[in-house]
Amino acid sequence: MTTPTSSQPTLSARGTASNPVAAQEGPVNRSVENGSKGEGAAAPDYVPSDSGSDLEDDSAPRLQHVTEKRQKVSKEEAKTAIQNADDEALSIRNLMAKQESNVIISDPREYQLELFERAKDQNVIAVLDTGESPDDSVSFLGTNDPAGSGKTLIAVLLLKHILDQELEDRAQGKPRRLAFFIVNCVTLVFQQFAVLECNLDHKMDRFCGDMNCDLWTKSVWDKHFHDNMAIVLTAEVLYNCLLHSFITIDQINLLIFDEAHHAKKNHAYARIVKDFYLDEPDISKRPKIFGMTASPVDAKVDVVQAAKELETLLHCQIATAADLALLRASFNRPKESVAEYKHLPPPYMTPLCAELEIKFHDLEYLSRLLRISKDAASELGQWAADRLWSIALVDEDAGKAEREVEKLFLSQKVVRPVKALNRELERVREARNIVKSHVFSPPKLDFKSVSAKVMALREYLNKVFEKPTDARCIVFVQKRYTARLLGELLKHIGNPHIRLGLLIGTNGSETGDIKFTFRQQVLTLMKFRKGEINCLFATSIAEEGLDVPDCNTVVRFDLYSTMIQYIQSRGRARHKNSKVGKLPFPQLVINVSMKDVREGETILRNFCEALPADRLLLGNTYDLDEALAKEKFQRTYTEPSTKAKLTYRSSLSILAHFVGSLPRDHESILQAVYIMSVENKQYVCEIILPEVSPIRSVIGRPSSRKAIAKCSAAFEACFQLRKGKYLDSNLLPIFHKQLPAMRNAHLALNMKNTNAYEMRLKPSIWEKTWGSVPGQLYMTALDLTSPESLDRPSQPLVLLTRMPMAEFPSFPLHVKPGVNTDVFCKPIFQCLEITGPVLNKLTRFTLCIYKDIFNKTYEEDEAQISYWLAPLLGHGLADVHTTRPHDLIDWKIVDSVSGHEDVGWNPDVPLENLADRYLIDRWDGGRRFFSVGVAPGLRPSDPVPEGCAKHKYMDNILDYTVSLFAKSRARATWIPDQPVMLARRVLHRRNWLDDWSQSEKEVKTLSYLCPEPLKFSALPTKVVAMAYVFPAIIYRLESYLIVMEACEMLGLTIKPHLALEAFTKDSDNTEEHKAEQVHFQRGMGKNYERLEFIGDCFLKMATSISLYAQNAVDDEFESHVKRMLMLCNKNLYGTAIELKLYEYIRSQGFSRRTWYPEGIKLLEGKGFKKTGKETFKHRLNDKTIADVCEAVIGASLLSYKDTDDMDMAVKAVTAMVSNADHNVMKWDDYYKLYKLPMYQTAPATAPQIDLAEKVEKEHDYRFNYPRLLRSAFTHPSFPFCWEKVPCYQRLEFLGDSLLDMVCVNFLFYRYPDRDPQWLTEHKMAMVSNKFLGALCVRLGFQKHLRLNSPSHMTLVQDYVAEITEAEAESKGARDYWTTTKSPPKCLPDIVEAYIGAIFVDSEFNYKEVERFFETHVRWFFEDMTIYDTFANCHPTTYLSNLLTLNLGCTSYRLMSDELPPLMEGTPPRIIAVVMIHDQIIAEGTAASSKYAKLKASQNALDMLSGLAPFEYRMQYRCNCSEAKKEDGEVVVQPLEDVVGSAI
């Protein structure tokens, strides 16, 4: 990139607006409703987010289908649809298309051919002095007489010639070049395109600023330039294309300037020639120029000199027909006449005006109205003069009057107190009341009520429209209010055959103005053409610009002021017998004005006739070099790579474009503020850009002229923006492309469960110890806090591992319906020395548990066993740490079990031995029993008693005991006289970590059994009772071990229960609160959602502090971008993928198939045929993985909450963001990064010290650096050069995150059971602008605010008055601030900036932030219930509550998706839809996902409001309530019908 030198160095996804079929396709909800299927029940994103895509995949084919269908629509079908459509329903472009001409100009006259031949050889300005000819203005509004002076026909002939030549050049391999037809206003783009399209057989298009061309990129323009050979556009559009080097002057073969007389001074016509045409040194590469004008003069200047200057500037020669008589004979010239009327009185006051003048003559705005009213009284009469007051103060302009008064007040150089403005506004309201009370009578036909001039106009129009007629009339006036008042007058005093209309410009700020859009102009002229309107009151807009249909009569109510006005208004009368009438005044002005314009016309005609034969002007004294020399001292910059050009003049528009592209909120007004000061008798301009701009302030070079100083500052700003790469190589802003991507980075992730990741089922600690026989083991006691809750005696177990275990937190087991007991796991730190025989006993005991209880037979391979089990001597050992490990184990039971072979029953077994035994069905792994004892009086052949657990064989008790299949049963023989035992069947497949389901509560366990078919286990029943809950225990312990390994990998020390919570995702939609959980995994404990909530907040604070510490004087914008890149979900996801954190996420609940130990070989039991290590995968969406990262940060923070130590959380942030902008390991490192900026340490002035003393009284903190405090109260509008202190934005950026953190901490610990949605909703109240604005006023901070914006001062004063009154009337209510309007944003900003300032001044002491919260904030939120309504006011939240709580529906979703932009380079649009039971009921479209979802939610609320639950269920076929009832009754597969593994 080179430095500047003083000299020049080297539409919518659903179709464009013009497509008529777009309206036929229907809204998006119809398309999706008919062809889309939802994913099931899921909740919306309750916290409004920025932007992103979470619509179902089927939206892609749906949009593709719509696009393909539109592409099949032919051009003729489109035109037919437009023609048949209602005008009011069509877009501007389609309205224009509906009226486009189909006239083909095919009969050129001799003079047209003559000028065409001249234009082929040289640059020509065709001057045809008759005004606009009919074929020159063939328009979309009507077919004109093809006979006329024909400038457009000459242009058509020239274009055909140039384009044919271009085709020849392309055939020879020469570079492509284009022709441009350049017009001065938007309307001419469409009407000239219509003429050219009908008369040229080449591809062409038209463009104007209203089509947002300024947002297009080079690639878009390249496509248009490639697809077309000629383009009709406004001069500004072409100038910008050349400026940004979208096209270069040597790529253009023809420039046609319509209405070429505009080419002067800094008009875009002139700038195209000065900046680009003349800048091309190779004359052969310059395009041909053809200019068209009715007259080269549009002002009261010397005609000949103006013509010479125009020739020189456009490098053209003025030419006209050789035989002007022939030209004048080729068209119809209208008859001209002058109407006479009585002399008008001088301006005077009506009685109403006099009354107002007495009271308000000193009020500037009303004094202006007084002058206009007096002129209107003279010109139009008393009725119109009084009516003007009503329009200006009472009608639709009532609010405008107050705005104008305020604008005049603020524009005054002398700063006056705001109270003076309030007094002026009050006086305006008083004047309005006087006008309101005035009695307005209809106008009378006398010269007092109506002026003589108006009476003459009435008389003339009554003659024209005496009877029903097809005649058309235009009445030209100078003032917009004159047109309006005349229209109202003629409605009262005109005749019924006059159908009045108004045609005025779209821009205007006169008194009496009404809003008049381009669309209204088009519709008005369409009605004029159809005859619905036959008399138009028009300003100069109808002279040039809008092409007006054929007209019989033109009346100049106000006389023309220039010759071209005379020629053009005369050209409006095109019929053969047309008339031009004039109603000028007074008589002297009539004579002088008409004489002037006619003399000018004669001079121009004589000038044209005097041109030499070759049409070259002789003795041209206008020196273009001298004119251009005035600009040579101004700097320019040319981008080396693209040749895009930055000049003093262009820098203003480039900077305005950049400012307009910046992101904004709904309160912001994006504009550059120019501050002018004087240094050494020269002007110096400082530009202050909006708060979100990457560059906030730029100072230009001194100049003797204000305008040049302003351009210098704009040039410097643009140059710095390009240097910082905020403008691209074409000098276009980059932010409309980059910011949405960064702002919405967290939504650029997959929100659907489509990605499968590996999941760890076992901790690596087991596998690390395989391969050797241990000589020592470490013990962990497993016991219950309430062992009696098992309803039978139990004996605790000890887990023996090769490596010592950490102390795990206790966790609950649901041992009976409604009864819980905690498991506690105590490690015994002394190791157990063991020998081979002892290890063998432990192995056999452990394997016996697997076989007898869980029906799994494993190989005795001690080198591959992960852990062993053994019985502990008893419950509640007083101090396991002081007892020898060997003495804690019940070796008697170990020896008994390890040395015991399988036994059965025989008749010699004493009956008492049948009690309290663990019984095993030999043929059904799912049947296990605890025996109670012998049941006297029952025999094996007796029927099964009532109330027993069901079994497939129920003929008799013996039959009930045996589980053999039919053939085996037939062969089996049993002792007929064996005893019958009473027993209780053991409940298998129980997830002891989860509560009992209704079906499990109803399972019957009573059983009567015969002993002979059963196996009697050697395991004591009290050991079995504890062993049955061991799968749940080991599942939870292994989950702890897995997540602790993840923490170890990250270098974090986190409490196990918090680590597990951070990694637990218990459903597919864990993050969607209040929604029915999809694929919910029972018994997993707490999921990550709360930790993710507080972790996200800490992440924001940590990254903000780090960025501030390293870049204390950088702009806030850059910090926002850097922070977003760190904390966005996309970045966190990338880090997690690199670290493979997905392996450690717990997404599966307890499973009876996966808890078994790995390493040892399974010999019998389900799954014994599997070989090798099994790989498990779970499906996670990408956002879940990113959320877990934030949850880990939250767990790191909460692990040390008792000590307020945040070092581990800081370390976690560094690990998760993996970014050089946050590379600290403990809290104190933040301040070590901070290098005190010079503005902070500079000596404080007396006012700054005084400020610190005043603020200390409002909050008890003494600032060490008063200049830092001054920065916290300095508004962005306050120029830096005045006090050399930066504005509060950087401190506000920091303070915002600190305030968020302290508020979240308060809510998180005060409400431990609330979900993140509730916490977020209520945090919104605590950090809302509404509350912080009220707090600012309560503290009196607004008094210290330094700003340079009177309008902001007014807003602040109004808000202070309102909030002060609200607090006074609240009688101590703490939520008084919710009743007022939102404050000016600067008030909450300075509160956040102050918090940032005390944090920085106290050397990053977070305690000071907490102290501020406790002192000033907490009081408002002691009772959060009073803010429930405030939280629920958000439409998305309200919709969720309405559906779930009131209507009982859980099958709904709020989804958003990014729509393609209307055209490349424009910001993307987001569409959000509300789907209920797979049916889209509402949608919303906005620039961000946040506001799109808000609109969609609001639209859905409008539809659902007032529906009773039964009506809702009928309308949307909702059965969620019934499904919930059924869910409560669903019974899992009966245990009696299951044969196989027990767990």
Side-chain angles (χ1 to χ4, degrees), residues 40 81 86 107 307 383 492 818 904 957 959 1070 1094 1168 1193 1241 1342 1390:
D86 181 19
D107 186 22
W383 186 89
H492 289 284
I957 294 175
D959 190 51
T1070 295
I1094 197 170
F1168 79 95
I1193 296 172
T1241 57
Q1342 82 282 355
I1390 60 177

Side-chain angles (χ1 to χ4, degrees), residues 457 460-461 464-465 471-477 501 503 525 528 534-539 541-543 546-557 568-569 571-574 579-581:
L457 174 65
Y460 186 81
L461 292 179
V464 174
F465 299 103
R472 308 282 196 279
C473 175
I474 302 177
V475 180
F476 282 103
V477 298
L503 184 63
L525 289 177
F528 190 62
N534 59 13
C535 183
L536 273 181
F537 288 93
T539 57
I541 187 66
E543 296 171 348
L546 286 176
D547 190 21
V548 182
D550 292 1
C551 177
N552 305 81
T553 305
V554 173
V555 178
R556 295 282 333 186
F557 187 81
Q568 288 178 332
S569 62
R572 298 300 104 192
R574 293 172 177 152
K579 299 177 289 295
V580 177

Side-chain angles (χ1 to χ4, degrees), residues 761-1040:
L761 289 180
K762 300 294 178 181
S764 60
I765 187 175
W766 304 144
E767 189 172 358
K768 290 178 181 178
T769 59
W770 293 341
S772 63
V773 177
Q776 59 184 22
L777 295 174
Y778 293 88
M779 302 169 58
T780 300
L782 308 177
D783 201 356
L784 305 178
T785 55
S786 303
E788 67 279 1
S789 60
L790 288 176
D791 266 356
R792 66 177 308 106
S794 63
Q795 186 166 353
L797 298 175
V798 62
L799 180 70
L800 297 107
T801 58
R802 301 168 189 257
M803 297 178 66
M805 296 286 103
E807 184 169 354
F808 298 108
S810 60
F811 52 91
L813 296 179
H814 299 264
V815 293
K816 288 192 302 186
V819 178
N820 300 344
T821 180
D822 284 347
V823 177
F824 63 87
C825 311
K826 287 191 174 292
I828 300 169
F829 296 109
Q830 298 181 50
C831 65
L832 173 66
E833 303 291 340
I834 55 173
T835 61
V838 173
L839 184 61
N840 182 258
K841 290 180 181 180
L842 292 173
T843 300
R844 297 189 69 184
F845 177 84
T846 302
L847 297 184
C848 182
I849 289 178
Y850 292 147
K851 182 177 182 179
D852 285 1
I853 300 178
F854 306 117
N855 200 32
K856 301 284 187 183
T857 302
Y858 287 98
E859 181 182 29
E860 288 188 23
D861 186 355
E862 293 165 349
Q864 293 297 111
I865 293 180
S866 301
Y867 51 81
W868 290 261
L869 294 173
L872 205 59
L873 276 174
H875 290 289
L877 295 177
D879 190 356
V880 295
H881 300 298
T882 59
T883 308
R884 276 196 331 126
H886 186 276
D887 297 338
L888 294 173
I889 296 176
D890 192 335
W891 291 106
K892 183 179 179 181
I893 293 178
V894 172
D895 292 341
S896 171
V897 172
S898 61
H900 192 80
E901 297 294 335
D902 288 351
V903 295
W905 175 86
N906 62 65
D908 297 330
V909 175
L911 294 180
E912 58 270 19
N913 286 357
L914 299 181
D916 196 24
R917 297 296 299 271
Y918 179 60
L919 309 175
I920 302 167
D921 188 327
R922 297 178 186 272
W923 304 284
D924 185 344
R927 299 183 79 210
R928 301 289 193 271
F929 305 91
F930 287 124
S931 67
V932 178
V934 175
L938 291 178
R939 297 174 55 81
S941 58
D942 289 343
V944 178
E946 292 292 329
C948 286
K950 289 185 178 180
H951 187 43
K952 55 186 175 181
Y953 304 108
M954 300 285 288
D955 292 344
N956 53 55
I957 294 175
L958 180 59
D959 190 51
Y960 178 79
T961 306
V962 179
S963 295
L964 289 171
F965 290 107
K967 291 183 179 179
S968 299
R969 295 169 68 84
R971 293 194 299 268
T973 58
W974 310 104
I975 299 173
D977 295 329
Q978 59 184 293
V980 173
M981 296 180 296
L982 172 64
R984 293 287 179 180
R985 183 175 174 178
V986 179
L987 285 179
H988 295 306
R989 298 183 175 179
R990 271 290 303 137
N991 179 2
W992 301 98
L993 296 169
D994 183 37
D995 204 352
W996 290 53
S997 66
Q998 185 62 33
S999 60
E1000 289 173 323
K1001 295 176 184 178
E1002 296 172 356
V1003 171
K1004 298 176 180 178
T1005 61
L1006 178 66
S1007 301
Y1008 288 92
L1009 307 170
C1010 294
E1012 185 181 6
L1014 303 175
K1015 170 187 171 182
F1016 284 67
S1017 174
L1019 291 170
T1021 56
K1022 58 183 180 179
V1023 171
V1024 173
M1026 187 66 183
Y1028 259 113
V1029 298
F1030 174 74
I1033 295 173
I1034 194 63
Y1035 162 80
R1036 179 57 56 85
L1037 296 187
E1038 287 182 332
S1039 296
Y1040 283 133

